[in-house]
């Protein structure tokens, strides 16, 4: 067999067995309908075309990545490719590449993809049973090129034609670092590529109607997974690595309802909650302590939720825990109140930070002592900002220019999180002993509307009394 570009995982097969594989296969004619988001993706490609007239635009989906030896991680396409095709996680074909080729009136969009492993001989006729990485018998059936074309509403050509299609000398912008053929075909152009990445990020800031529905779906599944976790706290308490039980409970729902996780689940009990991205999840879950769960379900379309709740494991906050929780709750409430179209993106963070600063001052906690007041020093206890854009990535639109995102203003269609927190490290001698080891965060997902903001995760209790009632009832 002539190896397909990038293939090197062929299994040796005796000639007699190879001959046996050449016959006796039924014909398949599956019905494939256009993906629900394809029309919206076509609009996004039209705007991309208008932004870069006369230039070739190349956006790879990316390829498989080795986890260990001959096992790969689950494939997840690059977010820009997803946004421009409306592809879904489970049916996406690794190594696909979207090319917008300039024409006299705009661009012609083509996806170059691996076809289904053929059963009828030819140069790739043994791939379906020999190739451990791409063969159908090893990793499952891919769509045919015609099926992919029907699903995406796009022209789809064989991946093997990609290099030739990129040969003509045309001004080209690429998303680099995802595909070696694409990288080799276009010389590096840092400024042009940064401009493309910025546009691709900024085009995701305002969600269209279809994307809003995907966000509702993802957050809804996330809320359901949190409900599952609340009911599993008693079991987690009996296990030496109860955090893993919490993680597994959430992750099961993510795989059941969606494509998987938007990011690795943070199941942080006790002092582990003071580690912002605690993902070892190997500690116990003890009665009287807190469990900080920060997690998100990624829908089939790869849009993700991102929610955090800090739960009293035994059903009741201690006095010290309640003191911290109520301050974080007040800070989040102030941040939520600042969400409206036309407000600066930073306004909700400033509002939350102001409440935290005033609250800590009232407790007598003033980093740096009694000298001149410097509010930035409170970062010792808050560490990070109070929210971020949300969408195909948990921290979405990361390549957007500062004036379009961090220094920009909120618009209807923005989806973002509000998530203030306080983290008193167990060895921090600047805080009273009874507060050390308490980590607290509350996070919800919001859609900016024409007259304010809608909380997409409002089905989860947020106030301390309601959280206690929820955890107690779920036991």
């Amino acid at each position: 067999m002539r190896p397909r570009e990038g293939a090197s995982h062929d299994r040796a097969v005796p000639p007699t067995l190879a001959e046996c594989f050449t016959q006796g296969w039924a014909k398949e004619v599956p019905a494939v309908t256009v993906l629900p988001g394809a029309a919206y993706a076509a609009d996004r490609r039209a705007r991309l075309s208008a932004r870069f007239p006369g230039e070739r635009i190349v956006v790879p989906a990316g390829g498989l990545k080795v986890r260990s030896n001959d096992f790969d991680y689950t494939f997840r396409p690059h977010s820009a490719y997803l946004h421009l095709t409306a592809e879904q996680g489970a049916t996406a074909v690794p190594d696909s590449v979207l090319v917008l080729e300039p024409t006299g009136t705009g661009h012609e969009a083509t996806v170059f993809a691996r076809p289904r492993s053929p059963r009828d001989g030819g140069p790739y006729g043994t791939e379906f049973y020999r190739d451990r990485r791409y063969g159908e018998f090893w990793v499952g059936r891919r769509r045919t090129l015609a099926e992919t074309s029907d699903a995406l509403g796009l022209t789809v050509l064989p991946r093997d034609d990609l290099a030739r299609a990129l040969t003509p000398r045309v001004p080209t912008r690429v998303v680099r670092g995802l595909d070696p053929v694409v990288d080799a075909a276009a010389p590096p152009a840092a400024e042009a590529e940064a401009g493309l990445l910025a546009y691709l990020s900024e085009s995701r800031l305002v969600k269209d109607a279809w994307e809003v529905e995907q966000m509702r779906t993802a957050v809804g599944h996330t809320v359901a997974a949190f409900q599952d976790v609340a009911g599993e706290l008693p079991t987690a308490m009996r296990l030496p690595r109860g955090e893993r039980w919490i993680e597994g409970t959430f992750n099961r729902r993510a795989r059941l309802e969606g494509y998987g996780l938007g990011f690795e689940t943070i199941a942080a009990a006790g002092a582990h909650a003071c580690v912002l991205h605690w993902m070892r999840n190997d500690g116990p879950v003890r009665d009287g302590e807190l469990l900080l769960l920060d997690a998100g379900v990624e829908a089939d379309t790869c849009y993700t939720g991102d929610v955090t709740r800090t739960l009293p494991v035994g059903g009741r906050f201690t006095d010290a825990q309640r003191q911290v929780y109520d301050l974080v709750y007040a800070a989040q409430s102030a941040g939520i109140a600042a969400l409206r179209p036309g407000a600066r993106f930073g306004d909700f963070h400033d509002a939350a930070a102001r409440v935290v600063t005033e609250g800590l001052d009232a407790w007598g906690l003033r980093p740096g002592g009694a000298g001149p007041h410097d509010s930035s020093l409170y970062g010792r206890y808050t560490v990070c900002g109070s929210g971020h854009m949300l969408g195909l990535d948990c921290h979405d639109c990361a390549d957007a220019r500062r004036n379009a995102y961090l220094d920009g203003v909120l618009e209807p269609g923005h989806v973002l999180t509000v998530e203030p927190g306080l983290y008193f490290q167990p060895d921090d001698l600047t805080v009273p002993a009874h507060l050390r080891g308490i980590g607290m965060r509350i996070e919800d997902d919001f859609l900016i509307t024409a007259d304010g903001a809608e909380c997409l995760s409002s089905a989860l209790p947020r106030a301390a009394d309601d959280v206690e009632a929820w955890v107690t009832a779920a036991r």
Side-chain angles (χ1 to χ4, degrees):
M1 180 182 82
R2 179 169 65 89
R4 201 183 296 276
E5 178 263 314
S8 59
H9 295 75
D10 294 342
R11 173 178 177 266
V13 173
T16 53
L17 179 56
E19 176 63 25
C20 181
F21 275 113
T22 64
Q23 54 192 322
W25 304 111
K27 295 286 186 182
E28 277 191 90
V29 188
V32 178
T33 58
V34 67
L35 291 172
Y40 290 91
D43 289 342
R44 296 172 205 141
R45 293 193 299 272
R47 291 192 292 272
L48 175 61
S49 173
R51 174 61 182 82
F52 298 105
E55 298 184 61
R56 178 188 292 141
I57 306 298
V58 187
V59 181
L64 297 169
K65 296 181 180 179
V66 175
R67 183 188 185 280
S68 63
N69 192 23
D70 55 350
F71 286 92
D72 293 312
Y73 287 101
T74 299
F75 177 63
R76 199 274 194 183
H78 189 274
S79 293
Y81 180 88
L82 288 166
H83 193 239
L84 293 168
T85 62
E87 181 60 280
Q88 298 201 346
T91 53
V93 178
D95 304 312
S96 297
V97 178
L98 173 66
V99 176
L100 272 64
E101 189 70 19
T103 65
T105 57
H107 287 81
E108 180 181 356
T110 302
V111 166
F112 293 84
R114 291 180 180 273
R116 183 189 178 193
S117 303
R119 305 286 182 89
D120 56 357
Y124 305 127
T126 63
E127 179 186 82
F128 73 99
Y129 65 90
R130 286 189 60 190
D131 192 308
R132 297 170 184 260
R133 195 173 207 193
Y134 297 106
E136 187 170 318
F137 283 11
W138 292 89
V139 296
R141 185 188 188 281
R142 290 192 300 274
R143 292 182 301 216
T144 66
L145 297 182
E147 289 166 358
T148 300
S149 178
D150 289 344
L152 301 183
L154 281 165
T155 299
V156 179
L157 297 177
R159 160 82 190 194
D160 285 354
D161 293 351
L162 175 63
R164 184 166 57 255
L166 299 179
T167 299
R169 293 189 175 275
V170 175
T172 300
R173 295 180 190 242
V174 307
V175 178
R176 190 169 295 277
L178 298 172
D179 192 295
V181 173
V182 171
D183 289 351
E191 185 175 349
E193 290 164 9
L196 174 61
L197 288 174
Y199 175 84
L200 294 174
S201 274
E202 290 167 18
S203 68
R204 302 208 306 268
L205 283 167
V206 175
K207 272 60 177 177
D208 58 37
W210 180 78
E211 290 182 287
V212 169
E213 288 308 307
Q214 304 317 301
M215 294 305 303
R216 292 188 192 280
T217 296
V219 177
H221 294 330
T222 300
V223 167
F226 269 78
Q227 302 284 11
D228 293 343
V229 165
E232 290 294 322
L233 285 173
T235 301
M237 291 166 60
R238 297 194 295 269
L239 301 171
R241 292 199 289 184
E243 289 176 345
R244 293 277 171 92
W245 189 263
I246 298 301
E247 175 187 1
T249 298
F250 188 95
N251 295 8
R252 181 177 63 245
R253 174 70 68 168
R255 289 291 284 166
L256 177 68
E257 302 286 6
Y259 189 51
L261 299 172
F263 52 95
E264 290 299 310
T265 296
I266 299 167
H272 290 164
C274 298
V275 180
L276 271 73
H277 290 171
W278 175 261
M279 289 182 248
R280 298 182 208 168
N281 300 342
D282 59 357
V285 176
R286 299 188 179 96
D287 191 7
E289 295 188 339
L290 299 172
L291 170 72
L292 188 156
L293 178 64
D294 185 343
V297 174
E298 184 177 76
D300 290 329
T301 53
C302 295
Y303 288 81
T304 187
D306 179 12
V307 174
T308 305
R309 287 295 184 269
T310 308
L311 309 178
V313 173
R316 291 286 182 269
F317 292 108
T318 67
D319 290 345
Q321 292 167 355
R322 181 68 172 253
Q323 177 186 7
V324 180
Y325 191 97
D326 285 346
L327 180 52
V328 173
Y329 175 83
Q332 193 200 28
S333 298
I336 294 168
L339 297 177
R340 64 180 65 86
R344 292 187 316 111
F345 174 82
D347 285 352
F348 76 88
H349 170 74
D350 293 344
R354 191 177 308 113
V355 170
V356 167
T357 298
E358 292 172 355
L360 293 179
D361 271 353
W363 296 356
L365 282 180
R366 198 169 194 185
H373 186 60
D374 183 352
S375 61
S376 70
L377 296 179
Y378 288 97
R380 180 183 180 103
Y381 309 133
T382 59
V383 187
C384 65
S386 300
H388 53 81
M389 291 294 181
L390 184 66
L392 281 166
D393 294 337
C394 174
H395 295 168
D396 207 21
C397 313
D399 289 305
R401 294 167 299 176
R402 188 174 184 91
N403 66 336
Y405 181 174
L406 297 178
D407 292 338
V409 299
L410 297 179
E411 300 178 41
H414 281 168
V415 178
L416 69 157
T417 71
V418 179
E419 53 168 321
L422 280 170
Y423 313 95
F424 299 121
Q425 302 298 327
D427 58 348
D428 190 342
L429 301 181
T430 70
V431 299
H434 69 284
L435 296 180
R436 295 173 198 161
I438 293 179
M440 198 77 70
R441 180 162 68 251
I442 312 170
E443 178 182 23
D444 287 282
D445 303 338
F446 295 88
L447 168 68
I448 302 301
T449 63
D451 55 2
E454 175 189 352
C455 182
L456 302 178
S457 49
S458 61
L460 284 181
R462 195 170 68 86
D465 287 345
D466 296 335
V467 169
E468 288 182 338
W470 167 38
V471 172
T472 300
R475 296 173 66 83

